[in-house]
Amino acid sequence: VAVPDLTVDDPSGQARTLVLGWGSTYGPITAAVRRVRAEGGHVAQTHLRHLNPFPANLGDVLTTYDTVVVPEMNLGQLATLLRARYLVDVRSYTQVSGMPFKAEQLATVLKEAIDD
């Protein structure tokens, strides 16, 4: 299976924090990243479209950033896979309420990750 490389949205090139999403988290993550950037924060964003196999460059992307935040609408299965496969300590942020993440909620999480 030919899986395209993962592209990262990091306009400033100064981000130390990456937000990695998949599935339905795309919209809320994008809105949260815009909020953080509008306030002067540096955060990178990428979105997985293929989970099996992962994109070939995913390991390189993960190790480029000091902090990787993975918001998921489940109990953190993707974060578990990333930790096991790439030995990267990702920050899992999960929600299992049947409601999508709110942009403000994710923006707060991202600001905390940037400040750490």
Side-chain angles (χ1 to χ4, degrees):
V1 174
V3 175
D5 279 349
L6 197 59
T7 58
V8 178
D9 175 22
D10 183 5
S12 72
Q14 299 176 5
R16 292 178 31 239
T17 301
L18 171 71
V19 187
L20 173 67
W22 74 280
S24 66
T25 61
Y26 180 79
I29 288 173
T30 301
V33 166
R34 284 184 189 149
R35 285 177 186 231
V36 171
R37 288 177 180 167
E39 295 175 10
H42 299 288
V43 62
Q45 172 187 1
T46 192
H47 199 78
L48 285 171
R49 300 200 186 284
H50 303 277
L51 299 177
N52 192 19
F54 282 129
N57 69 333
L58 178 56
D60 293 334
V61 169
L62 293 175
T63 57
T64 301
Y65 296 91
D66 296 339
T67 306
V68 178
V69 179
V70 181
E72 295 185 75
M73 298 298 298
N74 56 40
L75 297 176
Q77 287 89 334
L78 177 59
T80 300
L81 289 172
L82 296 173
R83 287 181 186 122
R85 174 113 185 235
Y86 300 104
L87 302 176
V88 175
D89 186 24
V90 301
R91 290 189 187 190
S92 181
Y93 183 71
T94 64
Q95 177 173 300
V96 185
S97 65
M99 298 297 291
F101 287 115
K102 295 191 183 315
E104 185 174 333
Q105 170 189 10
L106 282 179
T108 301
V109 170
L110 296 179
K111 289 177 204 170
E112 290 171 2
I114 291 169
D115 291 341
D116 284 347

